[in-house]
């Protein structure tokens, strides 16, 4: 059984391996969150527009 | 035959798509995330180090799925381009508009992971060989799909031009795939092919398959979610979108 620090060092390639996984996590979180936020914003804007039309 | 035509017509309806896709997005996000967590844990912790590359080979669990998915997303854009050019199906154009930025980010991820893998393995992050150059061309093709749409003010003309570009650019996909066989490159040939047994050890292969399937599912969810945004943008003045907003107010 190897210890955590030996595993995290990735045989001296830790900088490359963890950079790739870090970049990937950021990219996938942004990819996943962006359309959900954009949809919410569009629906809020559409609701405000419907409110204005209903009030006028 | 009637029912196939009916499904085809319903799939082409933005309203039908929007109303039916919400649960799919959630399911695909959850399934894809689980797949990626399991595959990455397997690849980072349980898979043994490579005999020659040591632990740097673990970058493969990100690099290979992202490169494969980037090509598949472009291929899907080309298919959607064909559908738009032949049948003028609105949802085909919605697909290209939603998928192109996703494909661009996957291509960037594939290039970045390739550079970071190349540094310890090849001794250099970048070489102008056929594989790396054709993947860079793929990135420019995705940028082209995005930029061309923004450059043409009339939406129907923009959609037609983007569809044609997607169709023309698909010629790059076999070039990427066979570049390692047709040309002398630093990049290794494919370890997994349909015709032959995989040249990769089983204990290293399984996490790769799980991560690839996980990324497929996750990206399918992201593209569906982005298509919902595109549909809302285009249909916001229609009665069915107003109905949705009215139901949100209640």
């Amino acid at each position: 059984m190897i210890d955590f620090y030996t595993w995290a060092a990735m045989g001296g390639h830790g900088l490359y391996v963890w950079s790739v996984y870090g970049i990937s996590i950021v990219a996938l979180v942004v990819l996943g969150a962006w359309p959900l936020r954009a949809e919410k914003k569009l629906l809020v804007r559409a609701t405000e527009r419907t409110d204005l039309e209903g009030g006028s | 035959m009637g029912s196939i035509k009916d499904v085809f017509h319903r799939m082409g309806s933005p309203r039908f798509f929007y109303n039916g896709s919400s649960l799919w997005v959630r399911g695909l996000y959850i399934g894809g995330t689980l797949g990626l967590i399991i595959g990455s844990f397997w690849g980072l912790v349980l898979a043994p180090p490579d005999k020659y590359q040591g632990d740097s080979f673990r970058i493969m669990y990100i690099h290979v799925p992202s490169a494969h998915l980037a090509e598949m997303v472009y291929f899907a854009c080309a298919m959607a381009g064909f559908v738009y050019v032949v049948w003028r199906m609105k949802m085909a154009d919605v697909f290209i508009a939603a998928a192109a930025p996703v494909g661009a980010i996957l291509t960037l991820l594939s290039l970045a992971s390739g550079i970071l893998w190349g540094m310890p393995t090849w001794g250099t992050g970048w070489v102008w060989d056929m594989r790396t150059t054709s993947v860079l061309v793929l990135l420019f093709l995705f940028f082209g799909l995005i930029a061309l749409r923004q450059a043409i003010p009339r939406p129907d003309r923009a959609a037609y031009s983007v569809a044609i570009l997607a169709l023309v650019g698909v010629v790059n996909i076999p070039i990427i795939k066979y570049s390692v066989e047709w040309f002398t490159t630093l990049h290794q040939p494919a370890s997994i092919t349909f015709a032959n047994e995989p040249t990769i050890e089983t204990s290293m292969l399984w996490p790769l398959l799980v991560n690839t399937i996980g990324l497929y599912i996750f990206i399918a969810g992201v593209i569906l979610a982005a298509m919902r945004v595109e549909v809302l943008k285009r249909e916001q003045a229609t009665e069915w979108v107003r109905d949705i907003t009215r139901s949100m107010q209640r």
Side-chain angles (χ1 to χ4, degrees), chain A residues 2-56:
Chain A
I2 57 164
D3 68 282
F4 175 79
Y5 293 103
T6 313
W7 169 76
M10 290 281 158
H13 295 136
L15 177 68
Y16 304 108
V17 175
W18 295 119
S19 299
V20 167
Y21 279 83
I23 293 168
S24 307
I25 289 168
V26 171
L28 293 180
V29 167
V30 169
L31 264 183
W34 167 78
L36 300 183
R37 278 177 62 100
E39 184 182 354
K40 215 174 182 180
K41 262 189 192 171
L42 278 171
L43 283 174
V44 167
R45 215 177 298 157
T47 310
E48 284 168 0
R49 203 176 306 127
T50 313
D51 277 349
L52 278 174
E53 285 167 5
S56 63

Side-chain angles (χ1 to χ4, degrees), chain B residues 17 42 51 93 116 118-119 124 131 157 159 172 195 204 226 228 238 245:
Chain B
F17 168 81
W42 201 340
K51 186 178 173 185
D93 181 52
L116 285 162
M119 283 174 174
T124 177
R131 173 56 73 87
R157 280 192 187 168
N172 190 44
M204 297 170 170
R228 287 169 62 82
T238 59
T245 54

Side-chain angles (χ1 to χ4, degrees), chain B residues 97-144:
Chain B
V102 179
I105 290 182
L106 284 170
T107 313
L108 273 171
L109 193 56
S110 142
L111 286 169
S113 57
I115 287 168
L116 285 162
W117 195 2
M119 283 174 174
T121 314
W122 296 345
T124 177
W126 187 264
V127 280
W128 288 101
D129 74 358
M130 204 56 194
R131 173 56 73 87
T132 53
T133 309
S134 54
V135 174
L136 188 64
V137 169
L138 180 68
L139 178 67
F140 293 149
L141 279 167
F142 278 124
F143 286 161

Side-chain angles (χ1 to χ4, degrees), chain B residues 37-222:
Chain B
I37 289 171
I38 293 168
S40 298
F41 179 79
W42 201 340
L44 281 169
V45 180
L46 305 178
D50 183 75
K51 186 178 173 185
Y52 299 106
Q53 300 179 42
D55 285 297
S56 69
F57 98 98
R58 295 180 203 280
I59 293 171
M60 167 181 77
Y61 298 121
I62 298 293
H63 178 71
V64 174
S66 58
H68 178 69
L69 256 290
E71 289 171 55
M72 287 300 108
V73 167
Y74 194 88
F75 187 72
C77 283
M79 293 299 101
F82 178 77
V83 170
Y84 186 82
V85 168
V86 176
W87 291 289
R88 290 288 195 277
M89 195 193 233
K90 271 197 265 178
M91 289 306 292
D93 181 52
V94 165
F95 176 86
I96 302 175
V102 179
I105 290 182
L106 284 170
T107 313
L108 273 171
L109 193 56
S110 142
L111 286 169
S113 57
I115 287 168
L116 285 162
W117 195 2
M119 283 174 174
T121 314
W122 296 345
T124 177
W126 187 264
V127 280
W128 288 101
D129 74 358
M130 204 56 194
R131 173 56 73 87
T132 53
T133 309
S134 54
V135 174
L136 188 64
V137 169
L138 180 68
L139 178 67
F140 293 149
L141 279 167
F142 278 124
F143 286 161
L145 294 180
I146 300 164
L148 187 60
R149 182 180 302 281
Q150 290 172 353
I152 302 172
R154 259 186 62 176
D156 56 333
R157 280 192 187 168
Y160 186 78
S161 307
V162 168
I164 295 289
L165 176 62
L167 271 172
V168 171
V170 81
V171 73
N172 190 44
I173 300 299
I175 295 176
I176 295 174
K177 175 148 178 52
Y178 294 108
S179 57
V180 285
E181 292 171 27
W182 294 340
F183 302 93
T184 307
T185 72
L186 261 181
H187 198 285
Q188 68 185 71
S191 305
I192 307 163
T193 59
F194 284 114
N196 303 307
E197 284 276 303
T199 56
I200 175 173
E201 161 62 33
T202 317
S203 56
M204 297 170 170
L205 176 65
W206 276 108
L208 179 62
L209 292 178
V210 173
N211 247 11
T212 306
I213 293 167
L215 193 63
Y216 254 104
I217 297 171
F218 185 78
I219 291 302
V222 171

